[in-house]
Each structure stands twice: as C-alpha cells, then as structure tokens.
Coordinates of all heavy atoms in Angstrom, one line a residue:
M1 N -29.3 -60.6 -16.4 CA -28.2 -59.7 -16.4 C -27.3 -60.1 -17.5 O -26.9 -61.2 -17.7 CB -27.4 -59.8 -15.0 CG -26.2 -59.0 -15.1 SD -24.9 -59.5 -13.9 CE -25.1 -59.0 -12.4
K2 N -26.9 -59.2 -18.3 CA -26.0 -59.4 -19.5 C -24.6 -59.1 -19.0 O -24.3 -58.0 -18.6 CB -26.4 -58.5 -20.6 CG -25.5 -58.6 -21.8 CD -26.3 -59.0 -23.0 CE -25.4 -59.0 -24.2 NZ -25.3 -60.2 -24.9
L3 N -23.7 -60.1 -19.2 CA -22.3 -59.9 -18.7 C -21.4 -59.7 -19.9 O -21.6 -60.3 -21.0 CB -21.8 -61.2 -18.0 CG -22.6 -61.6 -16.7 CD1 -22.1 -62.9 -16.3 CD2 -22.3 -60.5 -15.7
P4 N -20.5 -58.7 -19.8 CA -19.6 -58.5 -20.9 C -18.6 -59.7 -20.9 O -18.5 -60.5 -20.0 CB -18.8 -57.2 -20.5 CG -19.0 -57.1 -19.0 CD -20.3 -57.8 -18.7
M5 N -17.9 -59.8 -22.0 CA -17.0 -60.9 -22.2 C -15.8 -60.7 -21.3 O -15.0 -59.8 -21.5 CB -16.5 -61.1 -23.6 CG -17.6 -61.5 -24.6 SD -18.4 -63.1 -24.1 CE -17.0 -64.1 -24.5
L6 N -15.7 -61.4 -20.2 CA -14.6 -61.2 -19.2 C -13.9 -62.5 -19.2 O -14.4 -63.6 -19.3 CB -15.2 -60.9 -17.8 CG -16.0 -59.7 -17.6 CD1 -16.6 -59.6 -16.2 CD2 -15.2 -58.4 -17.9
S7 N -12.6 -62.4 -18.9 CA -11.8 -63.6 -18.7 C -12.1 -64.2 -17.3 O -12.7 -63.5 -16.5 CB -10.3 -63.2 -18.7 OG -9.9 -62.5 -17.6
A8 N -11.7 -65.4 -17.1 CA -11.9 -66.0 -15.8 C -11.2 -65.2 -14.7 O -11.8 -65.0 -13.6 CB -11.4 -67.4 -15.8
D9 N -10.1 -64.6 -15.0 CA -9.4 -63.8 -14.0 C -10.1 -62.5 -13.7 O -10.2 -62.1 -12.5 CB -8.0 -63.5 -14.4 CG -7.0 -64.7 -14.3 OD1 -7.3 -65.6 -13.6 OD2 -6.0 -64.6 -15.0
D10 N -10.7 -61.9 -14.7 CA -11.6 -60.7 -14.5 C -12.8 -61.0 -13.7 O -13.2 -60.2 -12.8 CB -12.0 -60.1 -15.9 CG -10.8 -59.5 -16.7 OD1 -9.8 -59.2 -16.1 OD2 -11.0 -59.4 -17.9
K11 N -13.4 -62.2 -14.0 CA -14.6 -62.6 -13.2 C -14.3 -62.8 -11.7 O -15.0 -62.3 -10.8 CB -15.2 -63.8 -13.8 CG -15.8 -63.6 -15.2 CD -16.3 -64.9 -15.8 CE -16.8 -64.6 -17.2 NZ -17.2 -65.9 -17.9
L12 N -13.1 -63.4 -11.5 CA -12.7 -63.7 -10.1 C -12.4 -62.3 -9.4 O -12.8 -62.1 -8.3 CB -11.5 -64.6 -10.1 CG -10.9 -64.9 -8.7 CD1 -12.0 -65.6 -7.9 CD2 -9.6 -65.7 -8.8
A13 N -11.7 -61.4 -10.1 CA -11.4 -60.1 -9.6 C -12.7 -59.4 -9.2 O -12.7 -58.7 -8.2 CB -10.5 -59.3 -10.5
E14 N -13.7 -59.5 -10.1 CA -15.0 -58.8 -9.8 C -15.7 -59.4 -8.6 O -16.2 -58.7 -7.7 CB -15.9 -58.8 -11.0 CG -17.2 -58.1 -10.8 CD -17.1 -56.6 -10.5 OE1 -16.0 -56.0 -10.6 OE2 -18.2 -56.0 -10.1
I15 N -15.7 -60.7 -8.5 CA -16.3 -61.3 -7.3 C -15.5 -60.9 -6.0 O -16.1 -60.6 -5.0 CB -16.2 -62.9 -7.4 CG1 -17.2 -63.3 -8.5 CG2 -16.6 -63.6 -6.1 CD1 -17.2 -64.8 -8.9
R16 N -14.2 -60.9 -6.1 CA -13.4 -60.4 -5.0 C -13.7 -59.0 -4.6 O -13.8 -58.6 -3.4 CB -11.9 -60.6 -5.3 CG -10.9 -60.2 -4.2 CD -9.5 -60.4 -4.7 NE -8.5 -60.2 -3.6 CZ -8.1 -59.0 -3.2 NH1 -8.5 -57.9 -3.8 NH2 -7.3 -58.9 -2.2
R17 N -13.8 -58.1 -5.6 CA -14.2 -56.7 -5.4 C -15.5 -56.6 -4.7 O -15.7 -55.9 -3.7 CB -14.2 -55.9 -6.7 CG -14.4 -54.4 -6.5 CD -14.8 -53.7 -7.8 NE -16.1 -54.1 -8.2 CZ -17.2 -53.6 -7.8 NH1 -17.2 -52.8 -6.7 NH2 -18.4 -54.0 -8.3
L18 N -16.5 -57.4 -5.1 CA -17.8 -57.4 -4.5 C -17.7 -57.8 -3.0 O -18.3 -57.2 -2.2 CB -18.8 -58.3 -5.3 CG -19.2 -57.8 -6.6 CD1 -19.9 -58.9 -7.4 CD2 -20.1 -56.6 -6.5
Y19 N -16.9 -58.8 -2.8 CA -16.7 -59.3 -1.4 C -16.2 -58.2 -0.5 O -16.7 -58.0 0.6 CB -15.8 -60.5 -1.4 CG -15.4 -60.9 0.0 CD1 -16.2 -61.7 0.8 CD2 -14.1 -60.6 0.5 CE1 -15.8 -62.1 2.0 CE2 -13.8 -60.9 1.8 CZ -14.6 -61.7 2.5 OH -14.3 -62.1 3.8
F20 N -15.2 -57.5 -0.9 CA -14.6 -56.5 -0.1 C -15.4 -55.2 0.0 O -15.2 -54.4 1.0 CB -13.2 -56.2 -0.5 CG -12.2 -57.3 -0.1 CD1 -11.6 -58.1 -1.0 CD2 -11.9 -57.5 1.3 CE1 -10.8 -59.1 -0.6 CE2 -11.0 -58.5 1.7 CZ -10.5 -59.3 0.7
K21 N -16.3 -54.9 -1.0 CA -17.0 -53.7 -1.0 C -18.5 -53.8 -0.5 O -19.1 -52.8 -0.4 CB -17.0 -53.1 -2.4 CG -15.6 -52.7 -2.9 CD -15.0 -51.6 -2.1 CE -13.7 -51.2 -2.7 NZ -13.0 -50.1 -1.9
T22 N -18.9 -55.0 -0.3 CA -20.4 -55.2 0.0 C -20.7 -54.5 1.4 O -19.8 -54.4 2.2 CB -20.8 -56.6 0.0 OG1 -22.2 -56.7 -0.1 CG2 -20.3 -57.4 1.1
T23 N -21.9 -54.1 1.5 CA -22.4 -53.6 2.8 C -23.7 -54.3 3.1 O -24.3 -55.0 2.2 CB -22.7 -52.1 2.7 OG1 -23.8 -51.9 1.7 CG2 -21.5 -51.3 2.2
R24 N -24.2 -54.1 4.2 CA -25.5 -54.7 4.6 C -26.6 -54.3 3.6 O -27.5 -55.1 3.2 CB -25.9 -54.3 6.0 CG -27.2 -54.9 6.5 CD -27.5 -54.6 7.9 NE -28.6 -55.3 8.4 CZ -29.9 -54.9 8.3 NH1 -30.2 -53.7 7.8 NH2 -30.9 -55.6 8.8
Q25 N -26.5 -53.0 3.1 CA -27.5 -52.5 2.2 C -27.4 -53.1 0.8 O -28.3 -53.2 0.0 CB -27.5 -51.0 2.1 CG -27.9 -50.3 3.4 CD -26.8 -50.4 4.5 OE1 -25.6 -50.5 4.3 NE2 -27.3 -50.3 5.7
T26 N -26.2 -53.5 0.4 CA -25.9 -54.0 -1.0 C -25.7 -55.5 -1.1 O -25.6 -56.0 -2.2 CB -24.7 -53.3 -1.6 OG1 -23.5 -53.7 -0.9 CG2 -24.9 -51.8 -1.6
I27 N -25.7 -56.2 0.0 CA -25.3 -57.6 0.0 C -26.1 -58.5 -0.9 O -25.6 -59.3 -1.7 CB -25.3 -58.2 1.5 CG1 -24.7 -59.7 1.4 CG2 -26.6 -58.2 2.1 CD1 -23.3 -59.8 1.0
Q28 N -27.4 -58.3 -0.9 CA -28.3 -59.1 -1.8 C -27.9 -58.9 -3.3 O -27.8 -59.9 -4.0 CB -29.8 -58.9 -1.5 CG -30.6 -60.0 -2.2 CD -30.3 -61.4 -1.8 OE1 -30.2 -61.7 -0.6 NE2 -30.1 -62.3 -2.8
D29 N -27.9 -57.7 -3.7 CA -27.5 -57.4 -5.1 C -26.1 -57.9 -5.4 O -25.8 -58.4 -6.5 CB -27.6 -55.9 -5.4 CG -29.1 -55.4 -5.5 OD1 -30.0 -56.2 -5.7 OD2 -29.3 -54.2 -5.3
D30 N -25.2 -57.7 -4.5 CA -23.8 -58.1 -4.7 C -23.7 -59.6 -4.8 O -23.0 -60.1 -5.7 CB -22.9 -57.6 -3.6 CG -22.7 -56.1 -3.7 OD1 -23.0 -55.4 -4.7 OD2 -22.3 -55.5 -2.6
L31 N -24.4 -60.3 -4.0 CA -24.4 -61.8 -4.0 C -25.0 -62.3 -5.3 O -24.5 -63.2 -5.9 CB -25.1 -62.3 -2.8 CG -25.0 -63.8 -2.6 CD1 -23.6 -64.3 -2.6 CD2 -25.7 -64.2 -1.3
T32 N -26.1 -61.6 -5.8 CA -26.7 -62.0 -7.0 C -25.7 -61.8 -8.2 O -25.6 -62.7 -9.1 CB -28.0 -61.2 -7.3 OG1 -28.9 -61.4 -6.2 CG2 -28.6 -61.5 -8.6
K33 N -25.0 -60.7 -8.2 CA -24.0 -60.4 -9.3 C -22.9 -61.4 -9.2 O -22.5 -62.0 -10.3 CB -23.4 -59.0 -9.1 CG -24.4 -57.9 -9.4 CD -23.7 -56.6 -9.1 CE -24.7 -55.4 -9.2 NZ -24.2 -54.2 -8.7
A34 N -22.4 -61.7 -8.0 CA -21.4 -62.7 -7.9 C -21.8 -64.1 -8.3 O -21.0 -64.8 -9.0 CB -20.9 -62.8 -6.4
L35 N -23.0 -64.5 -8.1 CA -23.6 -65.8 -8.5 C -23.6 -65.8 -10.0 O -23.3 -66.9 -10.6 CB -24.9 -66.1 -7.9 CG -24.9 -66.5 -6.4 CD1 -26.3 -66.5 -5.9 CD2 -24.3 -67.9 -6.3
E36 N -24.1 -64.7 -10.7 CA -24.1 -64.7 -12.1 C -22.7 -64.9 -12.7 O -22.5 -65.6 -13.7 CB -24.7 -63.4 -12.6 CG -26.2 -63.3 -12.4 CD -27.0 -64.4 -13.1 OE1 -26.7 -64.7 -14.3 OE2 -27.9 -65.0 -12.5
L37 N -21.7 -64.2 -12.1 CA -20.4 -64.3 -12.6 C -19.9 -65.8 -12.4 O -19.2 -66.3 -13.3 CB -19.4 -63.4 -11.8 CG -19.6 -61.9 -12.2 CD1 -19.0 -61.0 -11.1 CD2 -19.0 -61.6 -13.6
L38 N -20.2 -66.3 -11.2 CA -19.8 -67.7 -10.9 C -20.4 -68.7 -12.0 O -19.6 -69.6 -12.5 CB -20.2 -68.1 -9.5 CG -19.7 -69.4 -9.0 CD1 -18.2 -69.4 -8.7 CD2 -20.5 -69.8 -7.8
K39 N -21.6 -68.5 -12.2 CA -22.3 -69.4 -13.2 C -21.7 -69.3 -14.6 O -21.8 -70.2 -15.4 CB -23.8 -69.2 -13.2 CG -24.5 -69.7 -12.0 CD -26.0 -69.7 -12.1 CE -26.6 -68.3 -12.0 NZ -28.0 -68.3 -12.0
S40 N -21.2 -68.1 -14.9 CA -20.6 -67.9 -16.3 C -19.2 -68.4 -16.4 O -18.7 -68.4 -17.5 CB -20.7 -66.4 -16.6 OG -19.7 -65.7 -15.9
M41 N -18.6 -68.9 -15.4 CA -17.3 -69.4 -15.4 C -17.3 -70.7 -16.2 O -18.2 -71.5 -16.0 CB -16.6 -69.5 -14.1 CG -16.3 -68.2 -13.4 SD -15.6 -68.4 -11.8 CE -14.9 -66.8 -11.5
G42 N -16.3 -71.0 -17.0 CA -16.3 -72.1 -17.9 C -15.9 -73.5 -17.3 O -16.3 -74.5 -17.8
S43 N -15.3 -73.5 -16.1 CA -14.8 -74.8 -15.6 C -15.0 -74.8 -14.1 O -15.0 -73.8 -13.4 CB -13.4 -75.1 -16.0 OG -12.5 -74.2 -15.2
E44 N -15.0 -76.1 -13.6 CA -15.1 -76.3 -12.1 C -13.8 -75.7 -11.5 O -13.9 -75.1 -10.4 CB -15.2 -77.8 -11.8 CG -15.4 -78.0 -10.4 CD -16.7 -77.5 -9.8 OE1 -17.7 -77.3 -10.6 OE2 -16.8 -77.1 -8.6
E45 N -12.7 -75.8 -12.1 CA -11.5 -75.2 -11.5 C -11.6 -73.7 -11.3 O -11.2 -73.2 -10.3 CB -10.3 -75.6 -12.5 CG -8.9 -75.1 -11.9 CD -7.8 -75.6 -12.9 OE1 -7.8 -76.8 -13.2 OE2 -7.0 -74.7 -13.2
E46 N -12.1 -73.0 -12.3 CA -12.3 -71.6 -12.2 C -13.3 -71.3 -11.1 O -13.0 -70.3 -10.3 CB -12.9 -71.0 -13.5 CG -11.9 -71.0 -14.7 CD -12.5 -70.7 -16.0 OE1 -13.7 -70.5 -16.1 OE2 -11.8 -70.7 -17.0
R47 N -14.4 -72.0 -11.0 CA -15.3 -71.8 -9.9 C -14.7 -72.0 -8.5 O -15.0 -71.3 -7.6 CB -16.6 -72.6 -10.1 CG -17.4 -72.1 -11.3 CD -18.7 -72.9 -11.4 NE -18.5 -74.2 -12.0 CZ -18.4 -74.5 -13.3 NH1 -18.5 -73.6 -14.2 NH2 -18.3 -75.8 -13.6
E48 N -13.9 -73.0 -8.4 CA -13.3 -73.3 -7.1 C -12.4 -72.2 -6.6 O -12.4 -71.9 -5.4 CB -12.4 -74.6 -7.2 CG -13.2 -75.9 -7.3 CD -12.4 -77.1 -7.5 OE1 -11.1 -77.0 -7.4 OE2 -13.0 -78.2 -7.7
R49 N -11.8 -71.4 -7.5 CA -11.0 -70.3 -7.1 C -11.9 -69.2 -6.4 O -11.4 -68.4 -5.6 CB -10.3 -69.7 -8.3 CG -9.2 -70.6 -8.9 CD -8.6 -70.1 -10.2 NE -8.1 -68.8 -10.0 CZ -7.9 -68.0 -11.1 NH1 -8.2 -68.4 -12.3 NH2 -7.4 -66.8 -10.9
A50 N -13.1 -69.1 -6.8 CA -14.0 -68.1 -6.2 C -14.7 -68.6 -5.0 O -15.4 -67.8 -4.3 CB -15.1 -67.7 -7.3
T51 N -14.6 -69.8 -4.6 CA -15.3 -70.4 -3.5 C -15.2 -69.6 -2.2 O -16.2 -69.3 -1.5 CB -14.9 -71.8 -3.2 OG1 -15.1 -72.6 -4.4 CG2 -15.6 -72.4 -2.0
V52 N -14.0 -69.2 -1.8 CA -13.8 -68.5 -0.6 C -14.6 -67.1 -0.5 O -15.2 -66.8 0.5 CB -12.3 -68.2 -0.3 CG1 -11.7 -67.3 -1.2 CG2 -12.1 -67.8 1.2
Y53 N -14.6 -66.4 -1.6 CA -15.4 -65.2 -1.7 C -16.9 -65.4 -1.7 O -17.6 -64.7 -1.0 CB -15.0 -64.4 -2.9 CG -13.5 -64.0 -2.9 CD1 -12.7 -64.6 -3.9 CD2 -12.9 -63.2 -2.0 CE1 -11.3 -64.3 -3.9 CE2 -11.6 -63.0 -2.0 CZ -10.8 -63.5 -3.0 OH -9.4 -63.2 -2.9
M54 N -17.3 -66.5 -2.4 CA -18.8 -66.8 -2.4 C -19.2 -67.2 -1.0 O -20.3 -66.8 -0.6 CB -19.0 -67.9 -3.4 CG -18.7 -67.5 -4.9 SD -19.5 -66.0 -5.4 CE -21.2 -66.5 -5.4
E55 N -18.4 -68.0 -0.3 CA -18.8 -68.4 1.0 C -18.8 -67.3 2.0 O -19.7 -67.1 2.8 CB -17.8 -69.5 1.5 CG -18.0 -70.8 0.8 CD -17.0 -71.9 1.2 OE1 -16.1 -71.6 1.9 OE2 -17.2 -73.1 0.8
G56 N -17.8 -66.3 1.8 CA -17.8 -65.2 2.6 C -19.0 -64.3 2.4 O -19.6 -63.7 3.4
L57 N -19.4 -64.1 1.1 CA -20.6 -63.2 0.9 C -21.8 -63.9 1.5 O -22.7 -63.2 2.1 CB -20.8 -63.1 -0.6 CG -19.8 -62.1 -1.3 CD1 -19.9 -62.3 -2.8 CD2 -20.2 -60.7 -1.0
A58 N -22.0 -65.2 1.3 CA -23.1 -65.9 1.9 C -23.1 -65.8 3.4 O -24.2 -65.6 4.0 CB -23.1 -67.4 1.5
Q59 N -21.9 -65.9 4.0 CA -21.9 -65.8 5.5 C -22.2 -64.4 6.0 O -22.9 -64.2 7.0 CB -20.5 -66.2 6.0 CG -20.3 -66.2 7.5 CD -21.2 -67.3 8.1 OE1 -21.2 -68.4 7.7 NE2 -22.0 -66.9 9.1
M60 N -21.7 -63.4 5.3 CA -22.1 -62.0 5.6 C -23.6 -61.8 5.6 O -24.2 -61.2 6.4 CB -21.4 -61.0 4.7 CG -19.9 -60.8 5.1 SD -19.2 -59.4 4.2 CE -18.6 -60.3 2.7
R61 N -24.2 -62.3 4.5 CA -25.7 -62.1 4.3 C -26.4 -62.8 5.5 O -27.3 -62.2 6.1 CB -26.1 -62.7 3.0 CG -27.6 -62.5 2.8 CD -28.2 -63.1 1.6 NE -28.0 -64.5 1.6 CZ -28.4 -65.3 0.6 NH1 -29.0 -64.9 -0.4 NH2 -28.2 -66.6 0.7
S62 N -25.9 -64.0 5.8 CA -26.5 -64.7 6.9 C -26.4 -64.0 8.2 O -27.3 -63.8 9.0 CB -25.9 -66.1 7.0 OG -26.4 -66.8 8.1
D63 N -25.2 -63.5 8.5 CA -24.9 -62.8 9.7 C -25.7 -61.5 9.8 O -26.3 -61.2 10.9 CB -23.4 -62.4 9.8 CG -22.5 -63.6 10.1 OD1 -23.0 -64.7 10.4 OD2 -21.3 -63.4 10.0
W64 N -25.8 -60.8 8.7 CA -26.5 -59.5 8.8 C -28.0 -59.7 8.9 O -28.7 -59.0 9.5 CB -26.2 -58.6 7.6 CG -24.8 -58.1 7.7 CD1 -24.1 -57.8 8.8 CD2 -23.9 -57.7 6.6 NE1 -22.8 -57.3 8.5 CE2 -22.7 -57.2 7.1 CE3 -24.1 -57.7 5.2 CZ2 -21.7 -56.7 6.3 CZ3 -23.0 -57.2 4.4 CH2 -21.9 -56.7 5.0
N65 N -28.5 -60.8 8.3 CA -29.9 -61.1 8.4 C -30.3 -61.5 9.8 O -31.3 -61.1 10.4 CB -30.4 -62.2 7.5 CG -30.5 -61.7 6.0 OD1 -30.6 -60.5 5.8 ND2 -30.4 -62.7 5.1
R66 N -29.4 -62.3 10.5 CA -29.6 -62.7 11.8 C -29.4 -61.6 12.9 O -30.2 -61.6 13.8 CB -28.6 -63.9 12.1 CG -28.8 -64.5 13.5 CD -27.9 -65.7 13.8 NE -26.5 -65.4 13.6 CZ -25.7 -65.8 12.7 NH1 -26.1 -66.5 11.7 NH2 -24.4 -65.4 12.6
T67 N -28.5 -60.7 12.7 CA -28.2 -59.7 13.7 C -29.0 -58.4 13.5 O -28.9 -57.5 14.3 CB -26.7 -59.4 13.8 OG1 -26.3 -58.8 12.5 CG2 -25.9 -60.6 14.1
G68 N -29.6 -58.3 12.3 CA -30.3 -57.1 12.0 C -29.3 -56.0 11.7 O -29.7 -54.8 11.8
G69 N -28.1 -56.3 11.4 CA -27.1 -55.3 11.0 C -26.2 -54.7 12.0 O -25.4 -53.8 11.8
H70 N -26.3 -55.3 13.2 CA -25.5 -54.7 14.3 C -24.0 -54.9 14.1 O -23.2 -54.1 14.7 CB -25.9 -55.4 15.7 CG -27.3 -55.1 16.1 ND1 -27.6 -54.0 16.8 CD2 -28.4 -55.8 15.9 CE1 -28.9 -54.0 17.0 NE2 -29.4 -55.1 16.5
Q71 N -23.6 -55.8 13.2 CA -22.2 -56.0 13.0 C -21.9 -55.6 11.5 O -21.0 -56.1 10.9 CB -21.8 -57.4 13.2 CG -21.9 -57.8 14.7 CD -21.4 -59.2 14.9 OE1 -21.1 -59.9 14.0 NE2 -21.5 -59.6 16.1
A72 N -22.6 -54.6 11.0 CA -22.5 -54.3 9.6 C -21.1 -53.9 9.1 O -20.7 -54.1 8.0 CB -23.5 -53.2 9.2
G73 N -20.3 -53.4 10.0 CA -18.9 -53.0 9.6 C -17.9 -54.1 9.7 O -16.8 -54.0 9.2
K74 N -18.3 -55.3 10.2 CA -17.4 -56.4 10.3 C -17.5 -57.4 9.2 O -18.6 -57.6 8.7 CB -17.6 -57.1 11.6 CG -17.3 -56.2 12.8 CD -17.5 -57.0 14.1 CE -17.3 -56.1 15.3 NZ -17.4 -56.7 16.6
R75 N -16.4 -58.0 8.8 CA -16.4 -59.0 7.8 C -15.7 -60.2 8.4 O -14.7 -60.1 9.1 CB -15.6 -58.6 6.5 CG -16.3 -57.5 5.8 CD -15.9 -57.5 4.4 NE -16.7 -56.8 3.5 CZ -16.9 -55.4 3.5 NH1 -16.2 -54.7 4.4 NH2 -17.6 -54.8 2.7
R76 N -16.3 -61.4 8.1 CA -15.7 -62.6 8.5 C -14.5 -63.0 7.6 O -14.6 -63.0 6.4 CB -16.8 -63.7 8.5 CG -16.3 -65.0 9.0 CD -17.4 -66.0 8.9 NE -17.0 -67.2 9.6 CZ -17.7 -67.7 10.6 NH1 -18.7 -67.2 11.0 NH2 -17.2 -68.8 11.2
R77 N -13.4 -63.3 8.2 CA -12.2 -63.7 7.5 C -11.8 -65.1 8.0 O -11.8 -65.4 9.1 CB -11.1 -62.8 7.7 CG -11.4 -61.4 7.2 CD -10.2 -60.8 6.5 NE -10.2 -59.5 6.0 CZ -11.1 -58.6 5.9 NH1 -12.4 -58.9 6.2 NH2 -10.9 -57.4 5.4
S78 N -11.5 -66.0 7.0 CA -11.1 -67.4 7.4 C -9.6 -67.5 7.2 O -9.0 -67.0 6.3 CB -11.8 -68.4 6.5 OG -13.2 -68.2 6.7

C-alpha cells in the first residue's frame, strides 16, 4: 500500500476515522490500513498516541469473529 505524505497528526486522524467507521464487513481491511499507518509513524511517541484506536480495532475484530457479528453495531469504549 502506497501512503501519501501525511503528517503524524493526519495519520492519527485517519486511524481514528477508521476506528469510528469500521464495520464487521470492513474490519480486516480497516485494521490493515491502520497498521500500515502506524508502521509509517516516525517515533514511538507518535505510535503511542494511536494505541487506544489500534487496541479498539483489534478488540472489535476479535469480538466480531467470536460472536459471528451478533454485536456488529456495538463498539467497545474504554
């Protein structure tokens, strides 16, 4: 995946957008995109800012895989 030149804030905003817009049908692609963005961040400090969204995406994928999608409209919030 080729990423445009985005600032750290833009990358974080895109990961956040993916978190709030993902669905059971798009979770795998959205998580893959978020991981690519995370890997392209320049510092550990930048990556730490995205942790809550990455953990949330991973948790949603896990929940939806386990439940077969019965809770597809719900998102886990910490």
Side-chain angles (χ1 to χ4, degrees):
M1 175 204 279
K2 178 122 172 123
L3 296 173
M5 294 301 293
L6 299 174
S7 71
D9 287 339
D10 290 339
K11 291 173 185 178
L12 181 62
E14 180 61 12
I15 291 170
R16 183 179 186 277
R17 186 193 69 77
L18 289 167
Y19 171 79
F20 284 109
K21 297 294 183 183
T22 197
T23 66
R24 183 175 187 270
Q25 292 75 28
T26 65
I27 186 64
Q28 190 58 50
D29 288 340
D30 291 341
L31 189 54
T32 299
K33 289 175 193 171
L35 284 169
E36 289 298 318
L37 288 163
L38 185 72
K39 289 191 286 185
S40 74
M41 290 179 164
S43 72
E44 187 62 30
E45 185 176 306
E46 291 170 358
R47 289 185 286 277
E48 285 177 8
R49 293 173 55 203
T51 300
V52 68
Y53 301 113
M54 297 304 296
E55 289 176 352
L57 285 165
Q59 185 64 50
M60 281 188 274
R61 182 182 64 176
S62 176
D63 290 349
W64 288 334
N65 283 341
R66 184 176 57 250
T67 64
H70 295 276
Q71 296 182 358
K74 295 183 181 178
R75 290 205 167 66
R76 184 180 187 121
R77 298 223 186 343
S78 302

